[in-house]
Amino acid sequence: MDQEPTRRVLDPDRDGPALKALTHPLRIELLGLLRQHGPATASELAARTGESSASTSYHLRVLAKYAFVTEADHRDGRERRWKSVHTLTSWSNEAMHRAPGGRSALSAIRRRQLEHLERALARHEADLESGRLDSAWQEPAGMGDSLPRLTPESLTELWEAVAAKTAELSARDEGDPRAEQVVVFTAGLPLAPEPAPGAEGSPL
């Protein structure tokens, strides 16, 4: 795959059908596999997902219709190969909340991301157990959570810092034979204070 990251920013007012297409769980999985492993045929993706090649072919055509994937160079003339057009897809959360149907689309995409996390965790554990991953990865790998108190501006700054550091370390480790692909999930979900017991509208 191309090494330079490319980002597609979706506008919910202009790209509503594309966002809706992206909420389908198999389409998100197919797009992720193309980004992770590079160009593939519908048959190859069917083998990875357990779906039929007819199903993966249909959903790849939908992704192509909305410019998420495109045809890649063919190894031969027998079957079409596909590749991801962009390495990243993003949008404005504020714009999504304003757009008709935007909140439900955003919720659906986030839940697909949680499913991706579950699959990534299962694969990580299986790779360690089977020895496909070196034991040196046991200590740095993992998940954590914290509950800092931040302003909206500070949370935005945190996202930017994580993205910048990830890009810096990825560039540093490019070409290192010890480097492996790492699934990095980040979340920043502000929570409103819970109402006091007995307050109006709260359960007693």
Side-chain angles (χ1 to χ4, degrees):
M1 294 184 66
D2 296 337
Q3 295 301 313
E4 286 297 320
T6 56
R7 180 187 297 269
R8 179 181 180 185
V9 181
L10 296 174
D11 180 342
D13 293 324
R14 185 182 64 246
D15 302 314
L19 279 162
K20 184 177 180 180
L22 200 59
T23 62
H24 191 285
L26 180 56
R27 290 173 200 155
I28 290 181
E29 185 176 4
L30 293 174
L31 185 57
L33 288 170
L34 291 175
R35 289 176 175 177
Q36 184 176 2
H37 300 290
T41 66
S43 296
E44 291 167 343
L45 292 167
R48 285 185 175 274
T49 59
E51 299 285 336
S52 69
S53 57
S55 177
T56 56
S57 179
Y58 167 76
H59 288 293
L60 285 165
R61 291 196 301 271
V62 175
L63 288 170
K65 176 181 178 181
Y66 295 108
F68 291 108
V69 306
T70 189
E71 286 193 52
D73 293 335
H74 293 197
R75 291 177 182 168
D76 53 53
R78 291 196 300 270
E79 188 171 6
R80 182 181 298 177
R81 292 175 63 77
W82 299 93
K83 66 179 181 180
S84 174
V85 177
H86 311 92
T87 56
L88 297 169
T89 305
S90 64
W91 48 81
S92 163
N93 287 337
E94 184 179 355
M96 288 285 280
H97 278 257
R98 289 198 309 265
R103 292 189 181 190
S104 60
L106 185 58
S107 179
I109 291 172
R110 286 173 171 171
R111 276 155 180 74
R112 299 293 85 79
Q113 290 174 313
L114 289 175
E115 292 168 5
H116 179 204
L117 174 58
E118 290 183 349
R119 292 194 301 270
L121 175 59
R123 177 178 167 185
H124 165 72
E125 292 173 339
D127 287 346
L128 278 176
E129 181 69 22
S130 66
R132 289 191 296 270
L133 272 180
D134 188 275
S135 60
W137 288 102
Q138 289 178 351
E139 189 63 30
M143 296 185 291
D145 58 78
S146 61
L147 293 170
R149 293 183 63 84
L150 301 173
T151 64
E153 294 77 17
S154 292
L155 181 55
T156 298
E157 183 178 341
L158 179 59
W159 280 111
E160 293 170 349
V162 169
K165 192 63 179 181
T166 301
E168 174 193 333
L169 296 176
S170 181
R172 188 185 72 183
D173 291 348
E174 180 68 30
D176 190 320
R178 298 178 306 119
E180 299 284 3
Q181 190 164 59
V182 178
V183 179
V184 178
F185 273 84
T186 51
L189 306 173
L191 305 175
E194 293 186 3
E200 184 177 354
S202 67
L204 296 176

